[in-house]
């Protein structure tokens, strides 16, 4: 089993394509924090990206893309020293699907965002930097540009199956950017992705993902991945930031939450499937982790749907 594929399969993604942005001359546009992960691609020209909390602005050349992984405000501008105007009035006036800033059409960007559950965001994005810059010459940039164009066509035209296709396309973009990030930064900060970069920890993650209901102990995991118990515990803690069994508990809760969101299985059935001996055992662990009982979680999710 591939842990990355497992986590991506739990994304309950909702995609949205924003109006394109055409700009020229001297211009600066300030955007509020996005609700989810935010993609942009520069189709024409170049500009600067400033992200709150990131010390240096990022220069975006034609063909470049970027991913924002945090709900923080950001600015796109021709000059980092210019005062910025708020994005909302500009995009509210985008009657033809293109917002305009400054004077002219020297620069054109297209963007999209997608949101997913808070627990999936924590697992997947929290260990990433706030912004990932994807240079034009990389295969990933080509994929993102193509996918943004396809997203635009699906969500504006709304043909049959558009929502499903848009969700899958958003995940394609995310996978390609995660691959690029792991390839050029094989030692990210502690977190789930850092665990995938360590061969021993990655092997343990694969075992837990392949058989989440197995009665794992650290000793059993260590035996399967052919290291000592102390070595596995130390390397796992260093890479992921938590112990193997703590991670396993969180993964089981995530699997249970996914089943609660997507189906009508009984809590007892879900408990057995994810490694708990009884409905009450899962209920106690689930409430400790999420603050809600499985039933309350399912009801709450059904209401927001």
């Amino acid at each position: 089993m591939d842990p990355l594929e497992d986590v991506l399969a739990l994304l309950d993604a909702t995609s949205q394509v924003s109006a394109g942005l055409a700009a020229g001359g001297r211009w600066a546009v300030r955007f509020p924090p996005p609700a989810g992960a935010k993609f942009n691609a520069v189709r024409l020209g170049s500009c600067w990206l400033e992200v709150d909390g990131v010390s240096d602005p990022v220069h975006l050349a034609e063909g470049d893309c970027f991913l924002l992984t945090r709900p923080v405000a950001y600015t796109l501008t021709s000059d980092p020293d210019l005062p910025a105007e708020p994005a909302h009035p500009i995009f509210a006036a985008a009657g033809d699907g293109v917002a305009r800033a400054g004077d002219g059409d020297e620069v054109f960007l297209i963007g999209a965002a997608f949101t997913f559950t808070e627990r999936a965001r924590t697992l997947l994005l929290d260990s990433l930097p706030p912004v990932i810059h994807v240079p034009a010459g990389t295969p990933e940039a080509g994929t993102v540009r193509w996918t943004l164009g396809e997203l635009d066509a699906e969500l504006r035209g709304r043909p049959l199956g558009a929502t499903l296709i848009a969700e899958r396309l958003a995940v394609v973009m995310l996978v390609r950017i995660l691959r690029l990030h792991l390839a050029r930064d094989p030692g990210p900060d502690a977190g789930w992705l850092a665990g995938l970069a360590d061969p021993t920890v990655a092997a343990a993650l694969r075992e837990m993902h392949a058989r989440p209901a197995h009665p794992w102990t650290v000793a059993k995991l260590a035996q399967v991945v052919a290291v000592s118990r102390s070595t596995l515990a130390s390397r796992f803690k260093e890479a992921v930031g938590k112990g193997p069994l703590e991670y396993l508990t969180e993964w089981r809760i995530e699997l249970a939450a996914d089943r609660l969101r997507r189906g009508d299985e009984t809590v007892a059935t879900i408990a057995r499937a994810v490694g708990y001996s009884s409905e009450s055992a899962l209920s106690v662990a689930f409430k400790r982790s999420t603050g809600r009982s499985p039933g309350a979680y399912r009801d709450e999710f059904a209401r927001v749907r």
Side-chain angles (χ1 to χ4, degrees):
M1 299 290 287
D2 183 336
L4 178 58
E5 291 182 2
D6 290 346
V7 172
L8 291 169
L10 299 187
L11 294 183
D12 190 44
T14 301
S15 306
Q16 181 178 9
V17 174
S18 61
L21 174 63
R26 292 169 58 80
W27 60 277
V29 181
R30 173 80 169 171
F31 294 82
K38 174 71 175 180
F39 295 93
N40 270 104
V42 183
R43 293 287 187 88
L44 176 69
S46 64
C47 62
W48 292 90
L49 166 67
E50 297 178 294
V51 179
D52 285 11
V54 176
S55 57
D56 297 322
V58 178
H59 185 257
L60 301 172
E62 187 169 318
D64 284 10
C65 308
F66 68 85
L67 168 68
L68 296 176
T69 65
R70 303 279 193 281
V72 295
Y74 65 100
T75 300
L76 293 169
T77 179
S78 62
D79 183 344
D81 293 328
L82 290 175
E85 57 183 321
H88 178 72
I90 297 172
F91 280 80
D96 59 353
V98 177
R100 301 185 183 277
D103 183 19
D105 296 325
E106 301 162 8
V107 181
F108 185 74
L109 297 96
I110 185 172
F114 71 94
T115 59
F116 36 80
T117 65
E118 181 179 346
R119 292 182 59 79
R121 166 184 277 281
T122 299
L123 187 62
L124 192 59
L125 299 184
D126 276 2
S127 63
L128 296 174
V131 58
I132 298 177
H133 177 210
V134 187
T138 64
E140 288 77 12
T143 298
V144 173
R145 291 193 301 272
W146 175 85
T147 308
L148 283 170
E150 292 296 304
L151 268 173
D152 185 55
E154 291 293 333
L155 295 180
R156 293 193 194 285
R158 288 289 175 182
L160 185 66
T163 299
L164 177 63
I165 290 175
E167 291 172 356
R168 299 300 184 266
L169 288 171
V171 173
V172 167
M173 287 194 293
L174 183 59
V175 170
R176 293 304 295 263
I177 290 179
L178 289 176
R179 282 180 182 171
L180 174 66
H181 176 69
L182 289 173
R184 69 187 184 189
D185 184 13
D189 294 337
W192 176 77
L193 286 173
L196 295 184
D198 181 306
T200 296
V201 175
L205 286 168
R206 284 195 295 272
E207 291 295 332
M208 287 188 281
H209 280 243
R211 293 186 288 166
H214 187 75
W216 290 112
T217 64
V218 178
K220 288 180 180 178
L221 277 170
Q223 183 178 18
V224 171
V225 302
V227 296
S228 71
R229 182 184 183 282
S230 60
T231 295
L232 176 61
S234 174
R235 289 177 66 166
F236 203 103
K237 178 78 172 181
E238 181 180 357
V240 181
K242 61 194 68 174
L245 298 188
E246 183 183 356
Y247 174 86
L248 177 60
T249 296
E250 292 182 359
W251 179 240
R252 286 170 169 170
I253 296 301
E254 188 60 50
L255 291 175
D258 182 65
R259 286 173 176 256
L260 289 166
R261 292 194 302 268
R262 297 177 188 269
D264 56 2
E265 295 173 291
T266 66
V267 175
T269 299
I270 294 173
R272 290 191 297 271
V274 301
Y276 288 91
S277 59
S278 66
E279 177 179 341
S280 62
L282 172 61
S283 296
V284 169
F286 196 93
K287 189 167 186 178
R288 184 186 300 121
S289 178
T290 69
R292 290 158 288 183
S293 69
Y297 179 88
R298 172 177 272 162
D299 291 344
E300 180 180 326
F301 195 83
R303 285 196 299 271
V304 301
R305 280 300 203 190

